[in-house]
Amino acid sequence: MSSRVAVVFSTVFLLSSVAAASTDRHQHPVLELNAFTFDRVVPRFGAALVKFADDSPDEILAQVAVNSAANNNLLIAQVVLEATESSSPSSPDYYEDYPDPAAGGEPVEVNSELGSRFGIERADWPVFLLFKGAAADQEPIRFKLIVDRDLDANQLLQFVKSNGIYVGLSGCLEAMDKLVENFMADKSQRSKILEDAKSAIEQYTDAAEQASAKVYFTYMQKVTDKGDAFVQSEVERLSRILGGEMSDSKRRDVLNRYNIISSFKIGKHDEL
């Protein structure tokens, strides 16, 4: 077997193993990593968002995985630091860090070396770290919860996107995001890009997409009239609104606007 084939086979085996463990436990599309698989899997992706906590099911992280599935270079994973007997893998001899499911008893600390390596304190669980690049010893970026907001998938997706990894958020349009990127990067071209954005609105036949395109155009106009400081003030205004009570339809509308204006904060992103 050639070395290239061996590497491919090894990668497929590792990913299928951790995927099987994740599917058996929680039935959602998040890869579960441990001390054995972590350094063999994470560096193979352009970026990886990894949760460190106990083994409780996490539908928020599952939603992040589903919503970012179009980006094949982004891995969504978790590392269990405390395991219960019901969550132990079916082959405990292979995953030596985990307790024997037949042993019963209290939750057991597992993968402690990974927790120590990245400075994960139990009081901070859940901790989300974003790894970028292929170096196993890279310094990850830690997610910080927005003040006065409960954790949700949108915040995690915003975190990923704000660090140069493109993911499509609700209300966002990739073509318009690219116009925004150029609009914010080159002030001398803003008038032309504004006209391009106006023309692009009519290219969207879906009503929701056309409505989003109009919001992009409106925000470009306001940035042109009020300056770049408008972006941060609008982000803060919408963030305050999202922290309050409102109907589901109103929240969706505000969240879409929040995602769109947040695109104006993000500089040139890596094509990951």
Side-chain angles (χ1 to χ4, degrees), residues 15-120:
L15 291 178
S16 62
S17 297
V18 292
S22 179
T23 302
D24 288 343
R25 294 185 193 188
H26 303 317
Q27 296 295 313
H28 52 62
V30 177
L31 293 185
E32 188 169 309
L33 303 175
N34 60 26
F36 177 76
T37 58
F38 187 90
D39 288 327
R40 291 168 171 80
V41 174
V42 171
R44 298 178 187 272
F45 289 82
L49 178 67
V50 183
K51 174 191 173 183
F52 294 79
D54 60 15
D55 56 6
S56 301
D58 190 336
E59 295 308 316
I60 291 176
L61 195 61
Q63 187 178 346
V64 171
V66 170
N67 290 352
S68 62
N71 189 336
N72 292 326
N73 286 317
L74 173 63
L75 170 69
I76 307 298
Q78 64 179 354
V79 172
V80 171
L81 298 178
E82 185 177 85
T84 60
E85 70 166 315
S86 62
S87 69
S88 301
S90 58
S91 301
D93 292 339
Y94 182 76
Y95 295 93
E96 295 179 357
D97 256 342
Y98 287 88
D100 184 340
E106 295 298 317
V108 177
E109 181 179 336
V110 294
N111 299 313
S112 56
E113 57 267 58
L114 288 176
S116 298
R117 174 177 164 187
F118 298 114
I120 309 296

